[in-house]
Amino acid sequence: MSSQEQKSSQKLAKEPTTETTAMRAVETNLDIRAQESVGKTQGQIVRKRFRQNTGAVVSLIILLLIFLLSITSIGVGPIPGWWRYNYNDMHPIINGAAPNAQHWFGQDATGRDLFAMTMRGIQNTFLVVVLITGIAGFLGVLFGGLAGYYRGWVEAVIMRFTDMIIIIPLMLLTAVLGKLAGSYFTGVWNTVMFGVVVGLLFWSSLARLVRAEFLTLREREFVDAARLAGASDMRIIFKHILPNAIGVVTVSISLMMSSAILTETGLSYLGFGIKAPDWSLGSLISANQSAFATRPWLFWFPGLFILAISLAINFVGDGLRDAFDPRQKKFNPKKAKERTAHSAENGLGIDGSQQASVQVSPWQEQAKSQPASKSSS
Amino acid sequence: MLMYSVRRLITAVFILLGASFLVYNLVAIAGNPLEELLVSNSPNKEQLIAQRVEALNLDVPAPVRYFMWLGGILGCFAGQCDFGQNLAGTPVTQLLANAIYQTLTLVLASTILSILIGVSLGIVSALRQYSALDYTVTFASFLFFSLPSFWIAVLLKEFLAIGFNDFLRNPVVTIPTTLLISLIAGIFWYSASFGKQRTRYLMGLVGFLLTAGMIVFVSATQWFLTPFLGIPFMLPLGLGAAVLFTYLVAGLRNRRALGTGLGMVLVGLIAYFPLQGLLAQATLLMVVIILAAFMALGWVLGLLAGGYDRGQGARVGLLTGLAMALLIIADRFMQAWPEYISNSRIKGRPIPTANASTPNLQGDFWVLGIDTMTHILLPTIALTLISLASYSRFSRASMLEIMNQDYIRTARAKGVSERAVVMKHAFRNALIPLATIIAMDIGGIIGGAAITERIFAFKGMGTLFLDSLAHTDPNPVMGVFLVTGLMALIFNLVADLLYSALDPRVRVKA
């Protein structure tokens, strides 16, 4: 055996202390992360991490499928869909209005087709949610960004204004404004106005988050560098700081979507949002809840769709958070096992008990096999 | 700190003034209070309109009328509150008092429950990160978080309330149902336990057998018709509580603390008999005093037991005393249960689906207490499920972050037991961000849960607001807004102060 080999075997033979173990774990972790991100843009890394998260990808596909179903089945505006019934025409009741081959989701008491009504509800819910998050996202980023970047009196004014919006319970103000919107607009414009009005009040929490993010980012070197290079304030805000805050913004907007769904359906349920003859998933439930004992399907289908959409958006949001935040490593269950193994090496499981059934990490096997090779030399 | 609070309060006053001005005018635009009179056909229409215009000052434009309304509110500082009156002429202060009472009955229990359950679930799932339990809790949190409250409430009414009432007619559980429920319980225990595979199987088996035994017992003794605890149940439950609290607070090696806990169980069992006579003529105040007395007794007992850390023993004694007092009171409620369900107004269907109490129900403190409990049962479950999710997610995230801190590694390195690491070093610090969230949520309690209130026909703040808005009744709307806004602002301040008090690293700008 050459001296070089002997040297390396001696090094390996040395019992690892807790400290070296921890250091190595950190190093390998860094290595893995460096390999993962070599030669890639941030967007590519995030997309890759997101794709590895099965739950989030499946949820995204489900969301798209629900959206496509609602669009293609009853069509949009003048464009007809493949479903033969309309959401407000009454038809003779078939099979006691229970779900059947003609009416998949059954019919309501007056013979309207529930499938068409539910699809219409999904379309309206999507429209309102997109409006709410679009407007609230824009305002939240704008106000939060301005307050965080300029500080001083701009921040004071904006944040007091935000406080004012925050202390007014959302339900109360949207109810008042939803009522206003309802008495001045009709048809689809009522739905649009409803979304706009709720969106105008939905931005306060996002503004706080964005402000906090901007407060830390504006002190970073790259901002100083940009300023020294003569960049204007607007350029620094939109080209330098905002791309770095995009993680926070994306995640909170996705979570905002799920609460927007519940707010929209809740307000429509209470009669402040979308009103008959148009339908929202919430107003469908409120119109049919008294018929639960006789016609439960009127209640089940809209409710299940609300649940499915909201759940899927939550999972997508969680996946995005994991993808953007490398500190919360959750994409790779193998890594998690290594971590448990690492703590087990120290003689302690994560619960402090001696853990027997753990996977041994590769380098530890090397260390164990070492005495044998030493004796052979 | 004082300067900071004063400055924040002054800002809060201005924010409230601005917001209330905005809302007042919005309400004025939202509808005309005279509308219902204008379309009515009553012969004295003109007179009624003139009367209402007079009562609500409708001849003054809204922005000016706001200041007249504000004058009434500011009268509170002179000892004479005037929140105006509603369309029927009832003072808003009186409406608000009733609504706040109903809202608090509705929301208080669910808030406490969701904080307790949510935080403990979050902590446990953080300690078992990436385990089956963690994934289950995460999925359940998302599910509950996505549940529309109006949907789950109707489901609870249809299945839980009506199902349970039907079940009471013949309270016998069939064997397949027993097996199914026990199997689910066994799987839960298996996934919640940890350690060696054999221990986990054993835990699952114990959970299965325990559940099955309980169901058979309940079914055989018709426990739901004549529930009881008595000494045979209070002894094991009390012992369990004493051991659990000792384990969590002091560790089982602290024999004095354990002794205090067991002593309190003994005290509770002995006090059970003499207390029965007293409890027969109970009032709410007496129940509160009994609870406080047991807690104080436990505290003193812990201090007397001494040891190197008397505080731990005292805390164990206090918690065990509370548990014993609650058991005694629960036992007394159960004794009143047969009387309650055989009451002519209940007719053997105890779980109602609406309203805050059974009208015209006669009975003593215990029967009326049971009546309130059965009425808030369903809304409490619905609200707890919904708000549980955010607490468990938040405490999990907070706990995970703390468990990765350097000082936790230091504590482990110097040989601190895992119990002390989790309970003393990690849990307390994980509570800091939670405390602010909880403070803000408590500020929001008074706003009520508009949708849940409507479904269960509670006349709380949410209902008051919605109904007044529907009738374009401006003063109650403003009253609700003012109370909720004020509470939110105050508790916002409390949350900030709490944060800086709990975490010395955070300083408020004086």
Side-chain angles (χ1 to χ4, degrees):
Chain A
M1 202 177 256
S2 70
S3 63
Q4 207 181 357
E5 268 179 29
Q6 198 138 21
K7 219 183 211 169
S8 73
S9 70
Q10 263 176 0
K11 207 162 109 195
L12 281 169
K14 206 172 130 195
E15 256 329 287
T17 60
T18 320
E19 203 174 319
T20 54
T21 321
M23 301 255 291
R24 277 184 209 204
V26 169
E27 274 163 25
T28 43
N29 233 340
L30 283 179
D31 282 350
I32 292 166
R33 211 176 293 160
Q35 277 168 14
E36 187 186 61
S37 55
V38 68
K40 283 182 186 145
T41 65
Q42 195 201 359
Q44 284 170 327
I45 300 168
V46 167
R47 274 194 293 275
K48 181 164 174 260
R49 291 211 194 111
F50 186 81
R51 274 199 302 274
Q52 286 171 348
N53 191 332
T54 327
V57 174
V58 170
S59 302
L60 193 63
I61 292 171
I62 290 176
L63 264 185
L64 283 176
L65 286 181
I66 292 178
F67 180 69
L68 286 178
L69 180 70
S70 76
I71 292 292
T72 57
S73 59
I74 58 165
V76 188
I79 310 160
W82 49 263
W83 186 247
R84 64 184 93 81
Y85 299 108
N86 190 315
Y87 61 87
N88 47 20
D89 290 346
M90 295 169 196
H91 305 278
I93 288 176
I94 304 170
N95 189 23
N100 55 52
Q102 288 288 310
H103 300 277
W104 290 355
F105 288 2
Q107 289 165 286
D108 74 355
T110 53
R112 283 176 294 201
D113 180 67
L114 186 66
F115 182 78
M117 287 159 89
T118 311
M119 291 304 124
R120 180 65 183 174
I122 295 173
Q123 284 183 359
N124 276 335
T125 301
F126 270 113
L127 175 64
V128 170
V129 165
V130 166
L131 279 170
I132 292 177
T133 39
I135 293 171
F138 175 74
L139 288 178
V141 170
L142 184 72
F143 285 141
L146 289 179
Y149 183 77
Y150 285 110
R151 310 203 56 179
W153 66 268
V154 179
E155 185 189 16
V157 170
I158 290 179
M159 291 330 281
R160 291 298 82 75
F161 184 55
T162 314
D163 277 349
M164 210 165 91
I165 299 285
I166 281 184
I167 65 147
I168 302 171
L170 191 83
M171 207 65 164
L172 308 195
L173 202 50
T174 45
V176 174
L177 287 177
K179 191 165 175 166
L180 278 184
S183 45
Y184 288 110
F185 302 92
T186 50
V188 74
W189 289 109
N190 183 16
T191 313
V192 171
M193 269 317 288
F194 173 56
V196 170
V197 160
V198 178
L200 286 177
L201 299 166
F202 226 70
W203 51 268
S204 47
S205 58
L206 179 66
R208 284 190 161 186
L209 281 173
V210 172
R211 168 179 159 268
E213 195 68 15
F214 266 60
L215 280 179
T216 54
L217 284 175
R218 76 190 286 274
E219 308 296 336
R220 298 273 290 272
E221 289 88 347
F222 64 85
V223 175
D224 289 339
R227 195 173 292 131
L228 285 175
S232 68
D233 282 350
M234 284 301 126
R235 190 180 167 83
I236 294 176
I237 292 177
F238 289 108
K239 287 271 178 186
H240 295 271
I241 301 186
L242 194 56
N244 282 289
I246 206 74
V248 172
V249 172
T250 319
V251 170
S252 40
I253 283 185
S254 71
L255 295 177
M256 190 192 259
M257 284 179 110
S258 84
S259 75
I261 286 181
L262 293 182
T263 309
E264 185 273 316
T265 50
L267 285 173
S268 298
Y269 174 86
L270 291 172
F272 290 113
I274 295 162
K275 298 180 182 108
D278 212 338
W279 294 103
S280 147
L281 291 176
S283 63
L284 273 178
I285 291 183
S286 109
N288 296 319
Q289 62 170 337
S290 54
F292 188 88
T294 49
R295 296 195 170 103
W297 55 89
L298 292 176
F299 175 83
W300 281 110
F301 289 113
L304 284 176
F305 270 105
I306 299 179
L307 192 60
I309 296 174
S310 174
L311 199 56
I313 288 184
N314 268 321
F315 272 108
V316 172
D318 200 49
L320 281 176
R321 184 192 354 243
D322 284 345
F324 273 112
D325 183 6
R327 276 178 309 165
Q328 302 240 329
K329 348 178 221 316
K330 197 190 164 185
F331 342 103
N332 195 348
K334 230 163 96 190
K335 260 189 225 166
K337 273 193 185 140
E338 273 167 24
R339 256 166 62 113
T340 343
H342 158 230
S343 49
E345 283 155 23
N346 302 341
L348 284 178
I350 198 158
D351 53 344
S353 64
Q354 291 276 343
Q355 248 175 347
S357 60
V358 282
Q359 193 187 334
V360 203
S361 66
W363 71 265
Q364 203 188 15
E365 278 172 326
Q366 270 182 333
K368 268 183 190 161
S369 66
Q370 211 43 55
S373 68
K374 206 178 176 185
S375 64
S376 73
S377 63
Chain B
M1 184 82 97
L2 185 70
M3 276 305 294
Y4 173 78
S5 311
V6 169
R7 222 181 49 202
R8 278 286 299 267
L9 279 176
I10 293 173
T11 330
V13 167
F14 280 106
I15 290 173
L16 207 56
L17 280 178
S20 63
F21 183 74
L22 206 70
V23 173
Y24 195 91
N25 287 295
L26 284 174
V27 175
I29 306 168
N32 185 357
L34 295 176
E35 208 169 282
E36 53 166 0
L37 292 179
L38 287 174
V39 296
S40 79
N41 294 321
S42 75
N44 57 348
K45 189 170 151 183
E46 297 298 318
Q47 192 196 341
L48 283 174
I49 291 178
Q51 216 173 359
R52 186 165 289 181
V53 167
E54 169 75 14
L56 298 177
N57 298 318
L58 290 177
D59 44 352
V60 184
V64 183
R65 195 161 69 225
Y66 167 76
F67 290 100
M68 300 169 77
W69 173 82
L70 191 65
I73 303 294
L74 290 178
C76 286
F77 295 106
Q80 201 165 22
C81 273
D82 181 16
F83 278 56
Q85 45 184 263
N86 71 352
L87 294 185
T90 322
V92 171
T93 38
Q94 192 186 328
L95 288 173
L96 279 178
N98 291 338
I100 289 175
Y101 175 74
Q102 289 235 335
T103 291
L104 285 184
T105 2
L106 178 75
V107 187
L108 210 57
S110 72
T111 308
I112 295 172
L113 276 179
S114 56
I115 290 174
L116 283 182
I117 302 175
V119 170
S120 27
L121 269 184
I123 302 267
V124 171
S125 69
L127 293 178
R128 304 265 162 277
Q129 199 187 4
Y130 306 125
S131 66
L133 176 77
D134 183 29
Y135 286 124
T136 316
V137 170
T138 303
F139 182 76
S141 303
F142 279 135
L143 187 69
F144 294 149
F145 195 69
S146 317
L147 276 178
S149 54
F150 45 90
W151 199 63
I152 183 72
V154 175
L155 287 187
L156 284 175
K157 270 187 186 185
E158 290 298 326
F159 291 107
L160 201 68
I162 295 175
F164 183 76
N165 287 339
D166 288 343
F167 165 76
L168 268 195
R169 224 177 282 156
N170 179 26
V172 174
V173 190
T174 57
I175 292 174
T177 324
T178 311
L179 285 178
L180 187 72
I181 297 175
S182 315
L183 203 65
I184 293 171
I187 291 172
F188 171 79
W189 280 106
Y190 170 74
S191 55
S193 58
F194 50 89
K196 282 182 197 162
Q197 205 61 11
R198 243 187 75 206
T199 337
R200 299 186 65 186
Y201 283 131
L202 207 68
M203 282 290 284
L205 193 68
V206 168
F208 174 80
L209 290 178
L210 215 63
T211 319
M214 243 160 64
I215 294 175
V216 169
F217 175 82
V218 160
S219 181
T221 55
Q222 304 227 318
W223 198 80
F224 278 119
L225 285 177
T226 53
F228 60 90
L229 281 178
I231 300 292
F233 277 99
M234 286 171 64
L235 179 66
L237 286 175
L239 287 181
V243 172
L244 179 72
F245 289 138
T246 315
Y247 175 72
L248 288 180
V249 174
L252 288 178
R253 270 168 43 194
N254 188 341
R255 293 292 165 192
R256 285 173 194 269
L258 186 62
T260 310
L262 297 180
M264 274 318 288
V265 175
L266 198 66
V267 168
L269 292 181
I270 294 171
Y272 174 70
F273 295 103
L275 273 180
Q276 291 302 312
L278 195 65
L279 286 177
Q281 48 220 301
T283 57
L284 184 63
L285 185 67
M286 190 201 285
V287 171
V288 172
I289 290 176
I290 289 176
L291 284 176
F294 264 83
M295 283 158 74
L297 196 65
W299 180 265
V300 171
L301 206 64
L303 288 182
L304 288 181
Y308 70 95
D309 194 348
R310 299 196 305 171
Q312 287 185 343
R315 281 197 291 275
V316 171
L318 184 134
L319 287 172
T320 318
L322 178 67
M324 286 314 285
L326 286 177
L327 279 176
I328 292 175
I329 288 164
D331 179 77
R332 186 61 188 80
F333 270 120
M334 287 177 182
Q335 291 174 30
W337 178 255
E339 187 190 335
Y340 177 73
I341 49 174
S342 58
N343 191 298
S344 63
R345 301 217 52 97
I346 308 299
K347 301 193 191 88
R349 299 187 72 80
I351 310 292
T353 53
N355 292 328
S357 60
T358 311
N360 304 325
L361 180 78
Q362 302 291 325
D364 59 359
F365 171 77
W366 303 103
V367 169
L368 292 179
I370 290 177
D371 190 54
T372 311
M373 281 192 226
T374 53
H375 279 89
I376 64 169
L377 179 72
L378 293 185
T380 301
I381 294 177
L383 289 173
T384 308
L385 284 184
I386 290 165
S387 43
L388 185 110
S390 59
Y391 286 121
S392 83
R393 289 305 289 166
F394 203 84
S395 56
R396 178 178 178 274
S398 165
M399 192 71 177
L400 279 180
E401 198 175 326
I402 300 281
M403 290 302 276
N404 282 329
Q405 297 280 315
D406 286 342
Y407 61 81
I408 296 293
R409 193 180 312 156
T410 311
R412 286 213 174 106
K414 72 185 184 195
V416 176
S417 73
E418 188 64 20
R419 179 201 69 78
V421 169
V422 171
M423 291 303 292
K424 261 190 166 164
H425 298 253
F427 178 57
R428 288 189 179 190
N429 287 307
L431 281 184
I432 295 175
L434 272 178
T436 64
I437 298 249
I438 288 172
M440 298 240 253
D441 280 359
I442 289 176
I445 274 186
I446 211 93
I451 294 177
T452 316
E453 276 175 20
R454 167 160 292 193
I455 294 171
F456 291 102
F458 270 66
K459 305 256 176 304
M461 297 288 270
T463 313
L464 179 63
F465 177 83
L466 290 176
D467 286 353
S468 309
L469 198 63
H471 296 122
T472 52
D473 194 349
N475 284 334
V477 173
M478 288 310 294
V480 173
F481 162 74
L482 200 64
V483 174
T484 49
L486 195 65
M487 290 298 283
L489 278 176
I490 290 176
F491 275 92
N492 218 331
L493 174 63
V494 169
D496 284 355
L497 292 181
L498 206 60
Y499 203 107
S500 68
L502 290 176
D503 190 347
R505 287 170 301 182
V506 179
R507 291 249 163 74
V508 292
K509 281 177 271 173

